[in-house]
Amino acid sequence: MAGLTTGGPNVDVSLLYAINGLSRHVPNGLGRALGLVGEYGILLALVLLVLWCWRGARRQDETTAAESFAALVWAPLGAGIALLVNVPLRGFVGRPRPFLQHTGLEVLEPGLSTTDFSFVSDHSTLAMALGVGLFIANRRLGFIGIGLALLEGLFRVYMGVHYPTDVIGGFALGTAVVLLFAPLAMALLTPVVRAVARSPRAGRLVRAKDRPLAQPVGLAPTPPTAPRERDLAA
C-alpha cells in the first residue's frame, strides 16, 4: 500500500500542488510564521479552548458540571488513543511524505524526518479528536474546535508535509475513536468525576467553590442555621 496516490496525476496530488502553491505568494517571514501556526499554534489554541470550556463548566450545577468535566477529560484521552491507533496504521500503509514523491513543493517544516510516514496525519487526528471531544462537552465551543481542526488539516497540506487524503484520514480516525468510545468512556468517567466533585479540595477541579452541591432527590433544601445567641448569664 506504499504506492497510494503516487502513481501519477490525480485529484489528491492536484490539490496538494494547488494548496501548497499558495505558499509561493507569501513573504518568507510570514511563511515561517504560518509554518509555526500549523505545527504548534492551532493545537495550542485547541488546548486553550478546552481549558476555557473547563472554566465555564465549573460554574454549572453539579450534574451538568460532572458530565462536562468527564467529557473534557475524555477529549485528550480519546485523542491519545487515536494517535496510538495511528502508529500501526501508518506502518501498514507505509506512504512516503509527499515531498519525497513529488518535486516543486514548498516544505515549511524543514526539520521533518524523511523516514516518518504520511498517512494518516497525526496533527489532523489529534486536532479533530480534541474538537469532537470538546463538542461532546459544549456544542458552541465544539463547533469552534472542529473549525480549528479543519484549519489544521488545511495547514498541513499548505506546509507540503501531507496529502489531502492524509488529512481526511486523520479527521475520520480522530472522530471515529472519540465518538465510538464516548459512551463507554462517559459511563466510566462520570461516576469518578462526581466523587471528585464532592471532595473538599479536589472538588474545585470540577465545580467552582461558590457553587453549592445539588440536593439529593426528594429532599427539600436545608434552611440555613441561625447563629446562636451568646449566653449572657454565663
Side-chain angles (χ1 to χ4, degrees), residues 22-45:
L22 298 174
S23 61
R24 294 188 178 90
H25 306 287
V26 176
N28 289 334
L30 180 57
R32 286 192 294 269
L34 292 176
L36 290 174
V37 170
E39 185 69 17
Y40 307 107
I42 295 178
L43 293 180
L44 177 60

Side-chain angles (χ1 to χ4, degrees), residues 50 69-86 122 124-134 136 170-186 189:
V50 170
F69 189 82
L72 291 175
V73 172
W74 169 236
L77 287 178
I81 293 173
L83 291 178
L84 289 176
V85 172
N86 192 29
D122 277 338
S124 301
T125 301
L126 178 60
M128 187 56 73
L130 288 174
V132 173
L134 188 61
I136 296 175
F171 290 161
L173 178 60
T175 300
V177 169
V178 171
L179 290 184
L180 288 177
F181 291 99
L184 177 61
M186 293 296 291
L189 290 172

Side-chain angles (χ1 to χ4, degrees), residues 41-234:
I42 295 178
L43 293 180
L44 177 60
L46 280 166
V47 172
L48 294 176
L49 195 62
V50 170
L51 293 176
W52 181 262
C53 184
W54 166 68
R55 178 181 178 274
R58 293 176 67 244
R59 301 183 180 278
Q60 297 173 325
D61 62 87
E62 182 185 4
T63 301
T64 307
E67 293 176 352
S68 298
F69 189 82
L72 291 175
V73 172
W74 169 236
L77 287 178
I81 293 173
L83 291 178
L84 289 176
V85 172
N86 192 29
V87 172
L89 178 61
R90 295 181 81 165
F92 175 73
V93 176
R95 185 191 211 179
R97 292 282 183 172
F99 55 82
L100 297 177
Q101 299 289 324
H102 306 282
T103 60
L105 293 175
E106 295 289 332
V107 182
L108 300 183
E109 191 182 347
L112 185 69
S113 172
T114 57
T115 60
D116 191 13
F117 292 124
S118 183
F119 185 90
V120 298
S121 167
D122 277 338
H123 280 72
S124 301
T125 301
L126 178 60
M128 187 56 73
L130 288 174
V132 173
L134 188 61
F135 182 81
I136 296 175
N138 184 295
R139 296 292 187 268
R140 180 175 60 86
L141 294 179
F143 278 120
I144 298 176
I146 292 173
L148 287 174
L150 295 174
L151 187 61
E152 174 68 18
L154 180 63
F155 263 93
R156 300 307 288 175
V157 180
Y158 171 82
M159 294 166 63
V161 296
H162 282 292
Y163 294 95
T165 48
D166 296 339
V167 168
I168 294 172
F171 290 161
L173 178 60
T175 300
V177 169
V178 171
L179 290 184
L180 288 177
F181 291 99
L184 177 61
M186 293 296 291
L188 295 175
L189 290 172
T190 302
V192 177
V193 171
R194 286 175 179 166
V196 172
R198 295 185 177 278
S199 171
R201 294 184 179 180
R204 296 182 183 180
L205 293 172
V206 182
R207 304 181 62 256
K209 183 178 179 180
D210 59 344
R211 296 290 170 175
L213 292 174
Q215 292 291 331
V217 178
L219 296 180
T222 304
T225 303
R228 293 185 178 181
E229 296 182 0
R230 298 183 61 184
D231 188 357
L232 300 179

Side-chain angles (χ1 to χ4, degrees), residues 11-29:
V11 175
D12 202 21
V13 176
S14 299
L15 284 174
L16 168 66
Y17 274 105
I19 297 174
N20 177 256
L22 298 174
S23 61
R24 294 188 178 90
H25 306 287
V26 176
N28 289 334

